Amino acid sequence: MAATTPALSQTDLQTWQSDGRPIPEVKDGLKYLVGGEIKEWGGTTQDIESCLFFAWNGGTVRPTLGPGAMLDPNESMAALAAAEKAWDEGRGEWPTMSTDQRIRAMEKFIERMVTVRDVVVERMMWEIGKTLKDSQNEFDRTVKYIEDTLKALKDMERDAARFSVETGFFAQIRRSPMGPTLCMGPYNYPLNETFATLIPAVVMGNPVISKLPRYGQLLNIPLLEAFAECFPPGVVNIISGRGNEIITPMIQSGRLSMLAFIGASKTADVLKSAHPHPHRFRSVLSLDAKNPAMILEDADMDVVIPQIIAGALGFNGQRCTALKMMFVHKSREQEFLTRLSEAVTALKAGHPWTPGVRVTPVADHRGAMKFLGGLIDEAVEMGSTIVNPGGGERVENYMHPAVVHNVSPKSQLYQVEQFGPVLPVNSFEKPEEVMKYIVESPFGQQVSVFGYDPKVIGPVIDVLVNQVSRINLNTQCQRGPDTFPFTGRKASAEGTLSVTDALKRFSLRSLVATDYDERNRDLVNGILSARSSNFLRTDFIF
Ligand code: G3H
């Protein structure tokens, strides 16, 4: 099918006019948290611009939300020193505290956190363009994630309260913290995926330095007070600035025990290799992905189309789990293209707060359009066609979603993660062709398979289960529910994140063991009855 006339015009641009919603005036953007103290940054700042724009005087205008702190290496090293002090070689108040007390502190944090929901949600819309509904979901999902984390930790502690008895030994096995931990979340989930590592790391006893994402920095600031109030000084340190300036020296110092990073695999490589003793720098990484959809001959298009729309265009495709390459069986190709194109055309574009809106400007208003435009242009040069009306048309950092048909395997669009509203579609005749794509891909996160024939799908599962970490049958790829393991193979992840897995990843099983002997038995009983250890104890956690 040929590309049609661009659908976006000056008239469409009018839909971008502000509907009178006040632009948030952010006055706390210079605040950061180090050593339990909320500080005001007096050095270099950066004007944080909204990713939203408005029609104005025949052109467009982009509001500035306020200044953001761009800390320098001295200050990030101060944050590291604060975390080290809180750790105190494992002797600090927080790492030696009983899990029960840490849980109480985190429960208090939840109570404080929910009071700033509205301001966080508003800033999320203005900073990264996430729709109101999705911004609210991100906040609520994060609160639930913390609650589920505490519930899982209580279960783990209840199991750990008993002693293990084995061939003449008895032991108590419990999880203990790793040490100062650096957590970095991405801009597409600036709250949820900042907290997805910070919370389990902290509750397991690790002091944390959290570097806020490039976009989505301001929305985290209203939470600083809650962190400062609920945890001892230095346990949570929140900083912002350029990663290569403030993060590299911290890692090069060799004084960090753990890295939790959600972002690009190239950056992860740089971060990990900066440590002088990489084997001592444990990590949990959630990285790039190019999740394919395989639409088989007997797929139900009433199921497929809404799942592809949600999977490829949820938050404009800016999800690591997004469907980024669609393969449809040759016999259903035209039907799929027509219906997908119609569904894309029916999506409502606009401001994040506009009721029913599904597509918004992309969060990265500096470089993403050039990158995405380049992917489409190259694919078209190599023989692809844009199927839907106006697909790929751009106004500022808004791109009308593009269904790009017949993508050359030599093109970038076929190979790299687009992280935006571009839906490449190719056809296949045998499932082996799609499996070959997956086997040869540098990524290995998830896949969606649409169809209902057990004889076809059974063997496909058996191959794919060794290529990716989750196979979604007749549903889009996704991380949730957060109790499910979230991981990947190859360049997509290291370690597993989920409510329970994260608790394990940020801790080490340590044990106190002794052999059966009357004096040892009396010693252990004495410690338990005197309650002289926070580790060796049998309290039941409610
Ligand atoms: O960006 C990657 C996220 O982990 C995706 O999470 O599937 O819940 O949107 P999600």
Side-chain angles (χ1 to χ4, degrees), residues 141 186 188-189 192-193 262 286-287 318-322 419 445-446 476-480 482 486:
R141 177 183 183 176
N188 62 333
Y189 276 97
N192 183 267
E193 291 198 340
I262 304 179
S286 186
L287 308 170
Q318 302 166 110
R319 295 163 58 232
C320 63
T321 47
F419 217 71
Q445 194 197 62
Q446 298 189 19
Q476 61 155 317
C477 296
Q478 59 198 300
R479 179 168 42 126
D482 292 330
F486 178 54

Side-chain angles (χ1 to χ4, degrees), residues 145 193 195-198 200 260-262 284-287 479 481-488 493-503 505-506:
Y145 180 86
E193 291 198 340
F195 279 44
T197 58
L198 185 156
F261 175 73
I262 304 179
V284 53
L285 311 171
S286 186
L287 308 170
R479 179 168 42 126
D482 292 330
T483 43
F484 283 4
F486 178 54
T487 183
E494 179 187 324
T496 303
L497 284 173
S498 80
V499 164
T500 314
D501 287 289
L503 291 170
R505 196 72 185 177
F506 289 107

Side-chain angles (χ1 to χ4, degrees), residues 357-437:
V357 80
R358 297 284 294 273
V359 201
T360 59
V362 299
D364 174 5
H365 59 276
R366 298 206 173 91
M369 280 300 117
K370 193 163 174 246
F371 171 68
L372 293 169
L375 294 181
I376 296 175
D377 292 347
E378 186 206 48
V380 169
E381 270 166 35
M382 290 184 172
S384 301
T385 49
I386 298 173
V387 177
N388 59 312
E393 288 297 316
R394 286 156 248 169
V395 181
E396 295 288 346
N397 54 317
Y398 171 79
M399 175 180 272
H400 194 60
V403 179
V404 186
H405 179 222
N406 204 9
V407 178
S408 164
K410 294 203 176 99
S411 69
Q412 290 289 295
L413 184 54
Y414 188 84
Q415 297 165 19
V416 305
E417 177 176 38
Q418 61 269 45
F419 217 71
V422 186
L423 297 80
V425 179
N426 278 10
S427 63
F428 69 92
E429 286 179 18
K430 295 202 171 93
E432 288 70 27
E433 295 162 43
V434 184
M435 292 199 273
K436 185 168 179 288
Y437 174 83

Side-chain angles (χ1 to χ4, degrees), residues 7 47 148 206 229 261 280 301 318 320 346 373 390 455 493 501 532:
D47 279 342
D148 288 348
N206 304 283
E229 275 174 27
F261 175 73
R280 290 178 59 171
M301 287 297 167
Q318 302 166 110
C320 63
K455 289 204 191 75
D501 287 289
S532 58

Side-chain angles (χ1 to χ4, degrees), residues 30-34 37-39 41 71 75 224 238:
L30 301 185
K31 290 188 163 53
Y32 62 107
L33 175 64
V34 167
E37 201 188 321
I38 298 176
K39 301 183 174 187
W41 178 239
L71 303 188
E75 214 45 36
L224 296 189
I238 311 254

